[in-house]
Amino acid sequence: MESDWRGDKVAEGDWVLLDLYGTNHDARLWQEPDRFKPDRFENWPGDAFSFVAQGAGYVEKSHRCPGEAATIAVMKRAVRVLTKLDYTVPDQDLSVPLGQVPTKPVSGFVIQPF
Ligand code: HEM
């Protein structure tokens, strides 16, 4: 059996990957998608299909990372701690290789406390 998604054929047994990075950086959805602009979320109504770092859909009734709520709680705490620290960011390779899953900055993110 074969399906058709906007001209792309998907045959039985094919793997289909949701492009998380591509969706989160799609200029049709996000202005200046490559800039760090946390204020872009101030008036974001929230939807399950435009910001998909942890998958698309609804964890309660369809499919999405069930660890998202825990992850957000840890990130909130980490941001509070980091914004109170005095540190510098030494030269490093912050590029993100897109040929591996999962990916992360090459150097991680190295900080040096004062
Ligand atoms: C930054 C942190 C995390 C990111 C970026 C992330 C991302 C993702 C993504 C993209 C998926 C695939 C969703 C899909 O197939 O549509 C996933 C699935 C999953 N995540 Fe996470 N995740 C994170 C943290 C966590 C944590 C902390 C837990 C558990 C405590 C967790 C548990 C799971 C499980 C069990 C699945 C598989 C769900 C399923 O296939 O039904 N994740 N995650």
Side-chain angles (χ1 to χ4, degrees), residues 82-97:
L82 286 170
T83 51
K84 288 182 182 142
L85 277 183
D86 277 331
Y87 62 86
T88 56
V89 180
D91 282 344
Q92 58 194 292
D93 186 355
L94 294 176
S95 65
V96 180

Side-chain angles (χ1 to χ4, degrees), residues 45-66:
D47 79 78
F49 299 97
S50 59
F51 185 62
V52 296
Q54 284 167 281
Y58 302 92
V59 74
E60 309 81 13
K61 54 186 181 190
S62 53
H63 193 86
R64 194 182 181 98
C65 171

Side-chain angles (χ1 to χ4, degrees), residues 19-38:
D19 184 357
L20 307 177
Y21 182 89
T23 305
N24 294 340
H25 292 80
D26 190 327
R28 292 169 299 181
L29 301 171
W30 302 103
Q31 271 184 0
E32 300 182 282
D34 294 314
R35 281 196 58 206
F36 177 63
K37 284 173 54 180

